[in-house]
Amino acid sequence: DAKTTQPPSMDCAEGRAANLPCNHSTISGNEYVYWYRQIHSQGPQYIIHGLKNNETNEMASLIITEDRKSSTLILPHATLRDTAVYYCIVSSWAGNQFYFGTGTSLTVIP
Amino acid sequence: SQTIHQWPATLVQPVGSPLSLECTVEGTSNPNLYWYRQAAGRGLQLLFYSVGIGQISSEVPQNLSASRPQDRQFILSSKKLLLSDSGFYLCACRRDYGYTFGSGTRLTVV
């Protein structure tokens, strides 16, 4: 079962930052936080992952709280193509139980 | 990099008919492979995973089965489809971090 909780939906104005929260209060010390997104009728796409430290790549930034019980995915300048369902997942590095919750449906508004 | 091939992209099958969905992986050897299902408007549900040829772990007991006859081939099967088997089926492969997903098969049981 998914160990994460996310709001079901969010809106964001085009060009603004989209901040997507995720709660994972039962995360274990060896578990990473992964973010994926799924555009309608496609396979999920990897965005970013992290263990303790904040991470940034060309797609997004990941902010993990010090107690690791929650995190925020930041899309710095949302575009219409960022409209998708965003999934937050916690899993150990070599784990085979990669459970998706219901995710957050992000709508970027022109 | 890993590439996952799934076919067919869409499939319409009558209730009671058999099913065989195939997934093949390129660009890696001895991969961990996964089958997920996504019912309409729902999140992804892990069905099966395999860490090697002939090794199958089932996450959810149901009307489906999986087999891994070759290192980079993963097959999802059913002897008799039910209406509730309709959904979007995704094959995935473990990568350095997280998973790579195929493009999926949309199955409609009528």
Side-chain angles (χ1 to χ4, degrees):
Chain A
D1 290 329
K3 297 174 63 174
T4 60
T5 304
Q6 299 176 253
S9 63
M10 292 181 63
D11 292 339
C12 177
E14 188 178 16
R16 305 297 295 266
N19 297 290
L20 292 92
C22 179
N23 288 325
H24 32 79
S25 59
T26 61
I27 190 170
S28 302
N30 66 339
E31 288 182 321
Y32 288 72
V33 180
Y34 296 85
W35 282 84
Y36 279 73
R37 73 180 182 184
Q38 186 179 24
I39 296 170
H40 183 63
S41 294
Q42 298 182 23
Q45 175 192 21
Y46 166 84
I47 301 173
I48 199 167
H49 75 285
L51 182 64
K52 296 181 186 178
N53 301 322
N54 298 337
E55 303 288 345
T56 296
N57 63 20
E58 65 278 3
M59 292 182 68
S61 294
L62 174 60
I63 308 298
I64 302 175
T65 58
E66 191 169 344
D67 63 8
R68 303 210 319 127
K69 292 185 177 181
S70 65
S71 61
T72 301
L73 178 75
I74 301 173
L75 307 178
H77 305 287
T79 71
L80 298 179
R81 288 180 295 178
D82 291 323
T83 293
V85 178
Y86 287 77
Y87 295 98
C88 168
I89 302 156
V90 296
S91 179
S92 60
W93 184 254
N96 285 309
Q97 279 75 34
F98 208 70
Y99 297 115
F100 288 76
T102 52
T104 296
S105 178
L106 174 69
T107 302
V108 180
I109 302 170
Chain B
S1 62
Q2 301 161 351
T3 303
I4 297 180
H5 300 282
Q6 278 188 253
W7 64 90
T10 60
L11 189 61
V12 179
Q13 291 285 99
V15 169
S17 63
L19 173 74
S20 180
L21 300 181
E22 186 164 345
C23 167
T24 59
V25 182
E26 290 182 1
T28 185
S29 59
N30 195 29
N32 287 1
L33 298 175
Y34 307 82
W35 277 111
Y36 283 85
R37 177 174 64 194
Q38 187 173 35
R42 308 287 297 274
L44 280 76
Q45 179 185 34
L46 178 62
L47 301 176
F48 301 95
Y49 68 89
S50 171
V51 299
I53 296 174
Q55 302 179 60
I56 307 295
S57 295
S58 174
E59 284 288 306
V60 182
Q62 54 197 310
N63 187 42
L64 302 169
S65 62
S67 62
R68 185 155 173 191
Q70 299 181 40
D71 181 46
R72 289 175 285 179
Q73 184 184 31
F74 202 23
I75 298 172
L76 183 70
S77 304
S78 174
K79 292 182 179 178
K80 288 186 179 182
L81 283 169
L82 306 172
L83 288 174
S84 58
D85 292 323
S86 293
F88 189 45
Y89 288 82
L90 287 155
C91 179
C93 173
R94 204 72 165 81
R95 53 185 286 184
D96 291 343
Y97 40 86
Y99 290 48
T100 298
F101 285 85
S103 55
T105 295
R106 185 160 302 281
L107 171 67
T108 303
V109 182
V110 296

